[in-house]
Amino acid sequence: MNIKFMYTSQIALLAKTDEETIDVPNTSNIKQAITVLLSKKTEDFKRLLFNQSDNLLQAILLIKNGNQISYEDLATLKDGDEIMIFSPMSGG
Amino acid sequence: MKSLTAEDLSIYEWQLDVPHFGEEGQRKLKNATALVSRAGGLGGALTMQLAAAGFGKIILAHEGELKPSDLNRQVLMKQSEIGKLRVTQAKETINRFKPDIEVEAINANFNETNAKDLVAKADIVFDCAPLFEERFLMNRECVNQNKPLVDCAMFNLEAQLMVILPGLTPCLQCIFPEKPPHWKRKFPVFGAVAAFVASLGALQGIKIIAGMPNVLINQMLYINSDTLLFRKIPIHKNQNCKICSHLTKKDIQ
């Protein structure tokens, strides 16, 4: 099934895109979908989301179809779901 | 409480008829003190809008001198004043615009030493700071003192805006418990991006102080000005937040 990933700030800059659609297995939950995403990305991209112990950084906010979601959420995603991976911004 | 003068009524004539604002709202702004952390791209533009709206007092905390690279976005500054204190220039610009607004210019960033006193003097705090340590400190102090915090941020062509009402909404660290480890102090951005999120932040502050409806509560506003995507993202309190989880509704005054 197709999952649309949206990125913000540093993540979007590194990915060189605000969004992309990734094909993931039909039974995927959010953790599994992100695993598929990361398999197509560089180590630098992964490090924007995960620490060296492969835990999702607490600074990352995950938003599914416009609502906050936990990385540990076990619900199966649906075709066409949108996952926003939100990295915080700052001032200046 | 200070009353509105005939001059106030004249200056603010165009906003007095905004629904839910009126002379009462204007009076509240005149008697309010805003603390703005940093007077740079975000803070400068935001401060100008607070002054335009008629806040009675603005405290600006920002250490350091103007650099050339500040001038793509720091609209309170002057190119001829490179090397001079930013906060002094900010005060001069605001008072040239509005001499009656009291501007307290502090040549120091918001820090552990001054945090408590600065927040205590303010009715509302605007976070326009670049460093997450500073932002988290502001968040913590506003929660501790039950002061509203308007949190503005930007990156590239994007922006985010949150309003923190301690105990009623998530605080900043409910949503972002730690700083992003790869955050860089310098990031790509246009002054125009700073201007629009600063204006939206100022407007939230105006609404909060004036008691107007539709404050951005329990939602984070995300804007992508490249694609013109505007999205309000529902956010919720983290029941285990180390900063605000101790607050219950009965703590809110």
Side-chain angles (χ1 to χ4, degrees):
Chain A
M1 61 179 168
N2 289 324
I3 301 299
K4 181 162 105 174
F5 284 95
M6 296 178 71
Y7 311 124
T8 69
S9 67
Q10 291 175 297
I11 301 171
L13 202 64
L14 187 64
K16 294 188 169 61
T17 184
D18 297 326
E19 61 180 60
E20 58 186 324
T21 298
I22 303 288
D23 183 30
V24 305
N26 288 343
T27 54
S28 299
N29 57 32
I30 187 161
K31 191 180 277 193
Q32 289 161 335
I34 289 177
T35 300
V36 172
L37 171 69
L38 291 180
S39 70
K40 302 174 190 300
K41 296 297 187 188
T42 63
E43 184 65 18
D44 282 349
F45 183 94
K46 184 179 179 181
R47 287 293 151 241
L48 287 182
L49 276 63
F50 292 88
N51 62 20
Q52 294 292 344
S53 305
D54 287 343
N55 296 315
L56 186 75
L57 294 171
Q58 288 190 60
I60 297 296
L61 183 64
L62 295 175
I63 299 155
K64 178 183 130 186
N65 299 332
N67 292 292
Q68 257 186 282
I69 184 173
S70 165
Y71 183 58
E72 307 301 329
D73 191 287
L74 295 175
T76 303
L77 299 175
K78 297 187 185 57
D79 184 48
D81 275 350
E82 175 193 281
I83 305 292
M84 184 182 242
I85 303 178
F86 199 107
S87 181
M89 305 171 214
S90 187
Chain B
M1 207 177 182
K2 293 180 204 162
S3 305
L4 297 178
T5 63
E7 187 175 48
D8 291 331
L9 294 174
S10 176
I11 289 172
Y12 300 110
E13 182 182 352
W14 278 43
Q15 63 195 39
L16 295 179
D17 287 337
V18 171
H20 308 289
F21 184 69
E23 288 187 23
E24 183 57 23
Q26 194 65 59
R27 202 169 4 255
K28 288 177 179 174
L29 293 190
K30 183 171 182 173
N31 286 280
T33 297
L35 168 65
V36 184
S37 174
R38 307 287 187 121
L42 271 180
L46 189 148
T47 298
M48 182 58 90
Q49 293 307 327
L50 299 183
F55 269 74
K57 178 171 177 177
I58 302 170
I59 304 170
L60 291 173
H62 193 160
E63 184 177 10
E65 295 85 22
L66 181 65
K67 303 193 297 292
S69 60
D70 294 335
L71 288 167
N72 83 318
R73 65 198 183 282
Q74 296 193 10
V75 293
L76 298 186
M77 306 298 142
K78 283 164 71 170
Q79 190 168 342
S80 58
E81 303 285 285
I82 286 172
K84 297 194 181 161
L85 289 179
R86 288 189 195 90
V87 79
T88 307
Q89 295 184 57
K91 176 179 162 72
E92 284 170 3
T93 303
I94 294 297
N95 280 144
R96 191 163 46 243
F97 174 42
K98 290 276 185 75
D100 291 341
I101 289 181
E102 184 184 349
V103 180
E104 183 178 343
I106 298 170
N107 182 29
N109 295 328
F110 192 85
N111 58 48
E112 287 280 4
T113 305
N114 62 30
K116 191 171 176 183
D117 287 343
L118 285 177
V119 171
K121 292 200 283 190
D123 297 300
I124 186 166
V125 180
F126 295 89
D127 175 10
C128 302
L131 302 175
F132 279 88
E133 293 82 356
E134 203 169 326
R135 299 173 78 85
F136 289 159
L137 176 60
M138 231 173 303
N139 179 66
R140 188 198 77 198
E141 200 55 44
C142 285
V143 166
N144 287 347
Q145 295 192 40
N146 195 22
K147 296 287 176 75
L149 173 63
V150 179
D151 188 88
C152 309
M154 59 190 181
F155 185 98
N156 200 14
L157 294 168
E158 302 165 85
Q160 83 186 46
L161 178 65
M162 275 176 64
V163 169
I164 293 140
L165 301 178
L168 292 174
T169 69
C171 79
L172 183 62
Q173 284 189 268
C174 283
I175 308 304
F176 303 116
E178 64 180 33
K179 79 170 199 176
H182 304 291
W183 182 257
K184 291 184 174 56
R185 170 70 181 83
K186 180 186 162 196
F187 53 86
V189 77
F190 281 109
V193 176
F196 75 66
V197 68
S199 292
L200 288 170
L203 198 50
Q204 289 298 309
I206 290 163
K207 289 163 79 170
I208 290 167
I209 294 296
M212 295 167 75
N214 299 322
V215 173
L216 184 73
I217 290 180
N218 295 323
Q219 293 177 312
M220 178 168 62
L221 177 65
Y222 167 74
I223 300 170
N224 184 324
S225 69
D226 186 26
T227 59
L228 294 176
L229 172 70
F230 285 68
R231 187 169 284 189
K232 287 192 287 186
I233 300 164
I235 50 176
H236 38 81
K237 283 166 68 65
N238 176 355
Q239 300 307 321
N240 299 314
C241 178
K242 60 185 179 183
I243 302 300
C244 76
S245 62
H246 64 285
L247 288 179
T248 58
K249 285 221 168 130
K250 69 174 192 265
D251 294 319
I252 313 308
Q253 293 171 16

